[in-house]
Amino acid sequence: MTAYCASKFGVRGFTEALRTEVLAARHPVKVTTVHPGGVKTGIASGNLADASARGVDLTASQRKRVDFYNRRLLRMQPSDAANIILDGVAAGSPRIRVGRDAKVLDYAVRLFPELYPRVVAGLDRRITEARTASKVRAFTVRGRRRSAFLVSGTEVLYLPSAFPALDNVTVYNGWFPALSRLISIQTAIAAATVRIPGGRALVDLLSRPMVGPAGGPDTAERARTLTHVVAVASDETGALAEVHLEGPSIYTLTGELIAWGAAQLLTGPRLTTGVVGPIEAFGREALLQGCAEIGLIAI
């Protein structure tokens, strides 16, 4: 990718310099630079085939990335791209941006020169929409296998930026291990029901009894429960590492973490601003120390 992009920068530099020379010499020649976005050509699949022909051992992740490019990024038909280019040349445009994605990226480069490389690096790490509890997975908790169901979590937003080598992040909830598969069936039925007229109101009505009181459990109940976190890192061959953390009740833990973060913002050193993850905001060592003070520790 680096060599490819360098060649395109060379084309752009040459074209813009040539345009300047032509204008300075008052030649009746117009020079146009074309900036194409995602055009549905064989560029991604062709590179994959070329690598295979040269004996390169391609990983499943690389093949998945090519499939993502073909399905999600390379979407404009070549004929449509050609029409945009021809119209721009006929109009004498010095720069032709082909497709909305090309325009968005052009604005991003100009307005956010330091941020846009991170955006580009994350193009194949987009959030995938999935039904709650559409997957069930078993984890070892205190020596016993317990089921958990798929949920949404902010980990999918912040872990990829903190650890760029990650290809996929999923989050599971194990509050009701014995009911995980039943919850998966229920959410499937609910997802189908909301698509029919009046279905949304029916689902809301039936789920209302499952909503607990405001404020969550009382102090005594929180004191009787713990939070257990399992993090598993794996690749195509299986699990690479597994970490277990335990701490106070999730309600207490959430409140304590919010309070700790506020104290850091008030009294701590200058921190990263904006919407960022906890590691980027506070630093790894400070975050580990804060979690230890609250009682969330590795076991």
Side-chain angles (χ1 to χ4, degrees), residues 4-18:
Y4 174 83
C5 291
S7 69
K8 299 310 172 188
F9 266 99
V11 171
R12 176 178 176 178
F14 171 80
T15 307
E16 292 185 354
L18 179 61

Side-chain angles (χ1 to χ4, degrees), residues 115-267:
L115 178 63
Y116 91 90
R118 294 175 58 184
V119 175
V120 174
L123 282 177
D124 58 349
R125 295 192 180 103
R126 294 188 177 185
I127 298 173
T128 301
E129 183 177 347
R131 172 176 54 82
T132 297
S134 59
K135 296 180 181 179
V136 175
R137 177 171 174 173
F139 296 89
T140 301
V141 179
R142 292 192 170 189
R144 296 178 58 186
R145 297 292 285 175
R146 294 181 177 272
S147 296
F149 57 86
L150 183 72
V151 294
S152 60
T154 56
E155 292 87 350
V156 301
L157 300 176
Y158 303 124
L159 281 178
S161 61
F163 303 96
L166 287 174
D167 286 330
N168 185 37
V169 177
T170 51
V171 183
Y172 292 82
N173 184 307
W175 280 13
F176 312 102
L179 300 177
S180 292
R181 297 199 178 278
L182 176 60
I183 293 173
S184 178
I185 296 173
Q186 289 177 331
T187 59
I189 295 173
T193 303
V194 296
R195 295 191 181 98
I196 63 176
R200 171 66 65 179
L202 177 61
V203 170
D204 291 342
L205 178 64
L206 295 177
S207 60
R208 193 173 301 163
M210 292 184 281
V211 178
D218 57 24
T219 303
E221 179 62 27
R222 295 185 189 190
R224 289 195 295 268
T225 58
L226 293 174
T227 296
H228 191 107
V229 181
V230 184
V232 181
S234 58
D235 63 7
E236 294 91 343
T237 63
L240 300 174
E242 186 169 322
V243 177
H244 291 248
L245 305 176
E246 272 195 355
S249 163
I250 189 62
Y251 292 94
T252 301
L253 180 63
T254 301
E256 293 286 354
L257 284 172
I258 293 174
W260 176 83
Q264 293 298 303
L265 292 173
L266 181 63
T267 63

Side-chain angles (χ1 to χ4, degrees), residues 46-67:
N47 286 336
L48 192 69
D50 179 66
S52 297
R54 289 186 285 108
V56 177
D57 187 16
L58 298 169
T59 66
S61 176
Q62 290 172 319
R63 295 182 183 279
K64 182 178 178 182
R65 186 174 293 115
V66 169
D67 179 65

